[in-house]
Amino acid sequence: MNRYLKIFPFLLTILLRLPAFYEPHWYEDTGMYSAIGVALNHGAILYNTVFDNKTPFIYYLYALYERIPLSLTLVYQSVSLVLALLTQYFIFKIAQLKFGNKVALISSILFALLIGSVFLEGTLANAENYYMFFSVLSIYIILKNVPDISFLKLYIAGLIIGLGLMFKVSVIFDAFFIVVYFFFIFDFRKYFKSSFFYTLGLFTPLSIFLIYEFFTNNLVNTIYAIFLYNFGYVEKAKPFLGLSIVEFQTILLFLILFLFFVFYKKRKIREINLFIYLWVTVDLYSVYLSGRPYFHYLLQIALPLCILLSYYIYRIYQEKWYKKILIIFLVSISIYLGELYFFRSELSWQIFQQLQFKYDYYPNSYAYMLGREKSSQYNSIFIYNTNVIFEKTEQNANIVYQIADTLKSLNVQGKRIFIMGNFPWDYYMTKSIPGEKYVVDFQIIGKKRQNTVMSEIQKNKPYLILYYNDSYGFSGLTNFINRYYRLAKISKGAYFYVIKS
């Protein structure tokens, strides 16, 4: 294959990711990582005095980024881009290993379009951007060395994907795919041994971390945050014959895996295709699990989907005309039905707005980078994270920056503040410190958490409390503010209360 053709997909990824280096601070998830990073750098204890529900590496990584004397956006986007290119390389190698150079090239191009671009929010330096690399590297090691893979390589492959598990629990589904793949291709004895060494590697990093948390008396908080808290993300409605959606999907998953097993044993499915069918099926289950229609949840399935779609695109050119039409029809219908199911929830009203953002993103970004658009116009395409839809307008597109400016005018640098709203980026932007464990207000729902907040702010007495007009407020906080704080400013729907001297 022409080496310039091999390089093209990687250059395309760089070109598509370049605008991410010029983005304003806007995305809530990365804002939460930055706020927690600030707290950790000021002595907070993860899952105890500062809280979120992912495994720890993403927070400690942002804490490290914030210690580097460079632009935070430059640092985290640079690391994200390098990992994206490495992930793309191993997607190419997996496709090349199984289907040859042409399918590998198409896979690399699809990767750039699906994951390297803004379409599935691959530019956001979210947790998925990190664990995808460890996942695909682990899977490549397995596929390259089966069926005669050594137990040491199995453990190393498991250890690598285990590092991905330290960024987000979702990566465990890729590990589950490998265990299922072993079940198909090995006899029972070899399956048991191979699965044992692989899963031993998978859980080694997490086990070490949990042992550390045990000796620091933080194990209970850690287990609640990264395991039990996440059950709240799983749908509990029971629309299918008394089964919850998760129960129904799980039964369906194992039924499909059983059918694959039967077809494989009857030689109706070739081993060369088996791995990609299993990978897509298991990852499809993982993205449907929560029932939330967030585009970045699709990043995980995009890895095997790049290879599967590339395989079918390549086949289209080889088949007769009526088979070309049939392949296009079946693939299109499958993707459409999958999207219909993924975007089924009550949160689907967000989809049009998100698609509009993606449509505007590249024209506006390159216009801004070339100096043809002002920053205020550029920032207006970004969807800021307030709780209600009518707040997300062009008029308050710069609201994160406007609130930061007001906070700076009130001298919050180096002081503990409490933001009752969804503006986690403002802690980092103003060099202030989170005044209690929750850095976004949607985590402060329910009497127990509200009592926790009140206990902490009564103890810490933050210098300033920001109360945004659409936040999930509660009476205890209002009474506390009225007693100990004075209203200093009102701006852009935000009330700034400074502690009484």
Side-chain angles (χ1 to χ4, degrees), residues 294-482:
Y294 301 147
F295 276 91
H296 66 90
Y297 283 9
L298 294 170
L299 287 174
Q300 184 169 350
I301 193 175
L303 290 173
L305 197 62
C306 284
I307 299 174
L308 183 64
L309 291 179
S310 301
Y311 171 67
Y312 281 118
I313 290 170
Y314 179 66
R315 278 193 59 184
I316 286 171
Y317 289 99
Q318 295 181 315
E319 299 290 354
K320 296 179 180 179
W321 68 268
Y322 62 89
K323 288 190 176 180
K324 295 180 192 289
I325 294 174
L326 183 62
I327 291 172
I328 293 171
F329 176 77
L330 290 176
V331 170
S332 300
I333 287 295
S334 299
I335 291 174
Y336 174 74
L337 292 176
E339 288 178 344
L340 203 64
Y341 187 72
F342 181 71
F343 295 125
R344 71 192 184 278
S345 85
E346 72 277 5
L347 297 172
S348 59
W349 54 263
Q350 301 175 4
I351 302 306
F352 175 78
Q353 189 180 43
Q354 292 177 29
L355 288 174
Q356 181 63 46
F357 165 69
K358 297 171 200 310
Y359 174 79
D360 293 338
Y361 181 82
Y362 285 106
N364 282 274
S365 293
Y366 279 101
Y368 175 69
M369 289 160 58
L370 295 171
R372 297 174 181 171
E373 191 172 275
K374 294 180 180 179
S375 59
S376 58
Q377 294 173 295
Y378 175 57
N379 287 353
S380 70
I381 71 169
F382 292 91
I383 305 168
Y384 285 83
N385 292 281
T386 55
N387 288 322
V388 288
I389 183 62
F390 58 79
E391 292 288 351
K392 299 176 181 179
T393 63
E394 184 174 346
Q395 285 69 35
N396 72 352
N398 297 290
I399 189 168
V400 171
Y401 286 83
Q402 292 164 344
I403 286 176
D405 289 341
T406 304
L407 287 171
K408 289 174 184 176
S409 72
L410 295 171
N411 301 313
V412 299
Q413 181 173 340
K415 298 174 182 175
R416 295 193 177 274
I417 69 171
F418 171 46
I419 298 177
M420 192 65 186
N422 284 345
F423 304 106
W425 268 116
D426 281 311
Y427 291 107
Y428 169 77
M429 293 168 67
T430 60
K431 294 182 172 58
S432 57
I433 307 165
E436 52 82 48
K437 71 190 297 181
Y438 301 107
V439 296
V440 285
D441 71 346
F442 63 77
Q443 293 178 329
I444 314 173
I445 298 176
K447 194 68 175 176
K448 185 176 180 180
R449 291 184 195 166
Q450 290 169 0
N451 289 339
T452 299
V453 168
M454 290 309 305
S455 175
E456 290 183 357
I457 63 174
Q458 285 171 352
K459 177 183 176 182
N460 297 330
K461 294 278 195 329
Y463 167 74
L464 178 144
I465 295 178
L466 187 160
Y467 191 101
Y468 192 63
N469 64 8
D470 77 337
S471 65
Y472 300 106
F474 52 97
S475 58
L477 177 62
T478 304
N479 295 335
F480 178 79
I481 290 173
N482 290 336

Side-chain angles (χ1 to χ4, degrees), residues 125-177:
N126 217 331
E128 287 83 359
N129 299 77
Y130 294 91
Y131 81 64
M132 280 193 303
F133 164 70
F134 296 99
S135 175
V136 76
L137 175 57
S138 174
I139 290 169
Y140 172 70
I141 292 171
I142 295 293
L143 295 177
K144 185 179 180 182
N145 291 281
V146 291
D148 300 318
I149 187 168
S150 68
F151 294 138
L152 177 60
K153 287 183 179 177
L154 282 165
Y155 179 76
I156 291 172
L159 190 63
I160 289 169
I161 204 168
L163 295 174
L165 182 62
M166 296 299 287
F167 285 97
K168 194 172 181 180
V169 173
S170 301
V171 79
I172 204 166
F173 290 102
D174 281 337
F176 175 66
F177 145 67

Side-chain angles (χ1 to χ4, degrees), residues 105-119:
L105 177 63
I106 300 170
S107 297
S108 279
I109 294 171
L110 286 181
F111 178 95
L113 296 176
L114 289 180
I115 305 178
S117 75
V118 73
F119 181 67

Side-chain angles (χ1 to χ4, degrees), residues 24-64:
H25 297 310
W26 69 282
Y27 191 65
E28 186 175 86
D29 283 3
T30 45
M32 291 172 67
Y33 308 150
S34 75
I36 293 171
V38 168
L40 293 175
N41 284 329
H42 286 86
I45 301 170
L46 186 60
Y47 310 126
N48 186 342
T49 57
V50 68
F51 179 87
D52 196 26
N53 63 320
K54 292 183 178 66
T55 36
F57 276 10
I58 191 71
Y59 311 112
Y60 288 118
L61 197 59
Y62 270 72
L64 175 63

